[in-house]
Amino acid sequence: MKNVAAIVLAAGKGTRINALTTNKVLFPLAGKPMIGYTAELLRKTGVSPIVVVVGFKGKEVMRFLGRGFVYVNQGKLLGTGHAVQKAMTKLPQETKQTLVLNGDDSAFYTPQLLKDLINLHLRSHAVMTVLSVERKDPIGYGRILRDRNGEVTGIREERDVTEKEKRIKEINTGAYCFSVSFLRKYLNNIRKNPVKGEYYLTDLAELAVKDNLDVEAVKVDDETVSLGVNSLEELKQADRLMRQKLKS
Ligand code: UD1
Ligand code: MG
């Protein structure tokens, strides 16, 4: 995995889960803070450096993860696109590709899955490759938009979906591989979302396609490959799933 880095987004306030005293990425799954799984996973994947974007309760996150990571403080929490932009300043010149993972949904991936994602990205010459999955219940996730030929045309966030898009079951897991040159150029072009007032990383898909750049989505069959933890209910589900997975 030469010249491939990783960026982990762990700055957000977790407004929906309303955790005031700790960052949600430190919530335990089967007794271990969920970002601990992500950290181990990325070490095994062999990507470097691993840049962690911190903000809300950032000191606690850094204290837990310790050495072996590059930290960057997001400052104002202006969304996932803004968080990645902050992380870019920490990537070495020679880094050509980077994974981006959300700290709140990445505990269940495997090193092999991430290696496959990187390799597919490299082979396809896409500027952005998204890991997607079909969910029986896609509510809350960004939906993958495809045209008649099956080509990805964008990612639409839950808050912005039309009635028709709402029925799309293929969702964005929140794991991506990007070409760094693309990020350097296009992160600046993301416009603030008028509904949420944040810069959405997922807007990059549409911006790329508009300029005839290729965006790929790699669909995995297993729905349990990723579970976003945005509410206490989802935390309970994720905890249960982790206990099951560790047993088998
Ligand atoms: C995000 C994706 C959505 C995807 C889902 C999968 C965007 C805009 N949407 O939605 O398409 O289906 O994940 O779980 O990216 N964070 C920061 N700084 C910020 C905001 C967030 O570091 O300013 C971090 C959070 O700590 C979190 C991660 O980014 O770990 C994702 O943020 P969250 O607000 O949970 O995004 P979702 O709405 O779940
Ligand atoms: Mg989330």
Side-chain angles (χ1 to χ4, degrees):
M1 290 295 150
K2 200 163 169 272
N3 298 333
V4 184
I7 297 168
V8 183
L9 309 183
K13 200 154 177 214
T15 314
R16 286 160 285 175
I17 210 161
N18 198 23
L20 300 172
T21 52
T22 177
N23 190 295
K24 67 174 169 175
V25 303
L26 293 176
F27 282 171
L29 303 180
K32 171 167 140 182
M34 65 176 117
I35 200 162
Y37 295 96
T38 308
E40 198 178 312
L41 165 78
L42 286 171
R43 268 199 223 104
K44 286 187 186 155
T45 308
V47 288
S48 160
I50 302 169
V51 181
V52 184
V53 185
V54 295
F56 180 65
K57 300 290 169 191
K59 274 204 197 104
E60 280 82 352
V61 176
M62 289 190 282
R63 197 177 308 135
F64 170 72
L65 286 175
R67 295 166 59 149
F69 303 90
V70 176
Y71 297 101
V72 62
N73 199 306
Q74 193 183 346
K76 274 195 186 160
L77 305 176
L78 296 177
T80 49
H82 178 253
V84 172
Q85 193 155 34
K86 287 278 163 150
M88 295 304 288
T89 57
K90 300 287 181 186
L91 292 188
Q93 205 59 51
E94 62 273 18
T95 302
K96 296 279 184 291
Q97 324 289 337
T98 188
L99 289 173
V100 176
L101 299 183
N102 288 335
D104 71 339
D105 59 23
S106 47
F108 297 101
Y109 301 130
T110 62
Q112 192 53 52
L113 185 63
L114 295 185
K115 282 182 198 166
D116 289 348
L117 178 66
I118 295 164
N119 286 326
L120 278 162
H121 176 79
L122 291 171
R123 254 186 277 143
S124 71
H125 299 287
V127 293
M128 169 177 186
T129 304
V130 186
L131 192 71
S132 74
V133 71
E134 296 252 349
R135 289 189 72 92
K136 272 184 237 97
D137 177 13
I139 288 179
Y141 291 90
R143 311 295 205 282
I144 306 289
L145 309 181
R146 293 181 185 263
D147 66 15
R148 262 180 239 145
N149 302 321
E151 301 290 338
V152 176
T153 57
I155 301 173
R156 188 84 75 231
E157 291 306 307
E158 175 76 37
R159 287 176 206 84
D160 305 316
V161 287
T162 63
E163 275 308 310
K164 207 171 150 205
E165 289 164 351
K166 210 175 191 148
R167 292 197 289 270
I168 298 173
K169 294 212 173 341
E170 186 186 4
I171 60 100
N172 167 27
T173 62
Y176 324 78
C177 188
F178 286 101
S179 301
V180 169
S181 58
F182 168 74
L183 286 178
R184 290 207 194 281
K185 197 160 162 210
Y186 280 81
L187 278 168
N188 291 318
N189 299 349
I190 300 176
R191 304 265 284 275
K192 204 184 247 186
N193 181 282
V195 181
K196 190 110 195 277
E198 288 187 352
Y199 296 88
Y200 287 170
L201 181 64
T202 45
D203 280 358
L204 285 178
E206 210 169 304
L207 290 173
V209 171
K210 226 185 257 166
D211 282 358
N212 285 319
L213 298 170
D214 185 29
V215 177
E216 294 287 329
V218 185
K219 193 156 89 180
V220 285
D221 287 329
D222 181 6
E223 192 176 296
T224 67
V225 75
S226 165
L227 222 173
V229 177
N230 302 294
S231 65
L232 287 173
E233 185 50 42
E234 283 172 339
L235 176 65
K236 234 190 275 169
Q237 280 172 22
D239 178 58
R240 219 179 297 137
L241 181 63
M242 187 56 86
R243 285 171 198 275
Q244 267 170 27
K245 287 204 172 186
L246 291 178
K247 249 193 279 169
S248 59

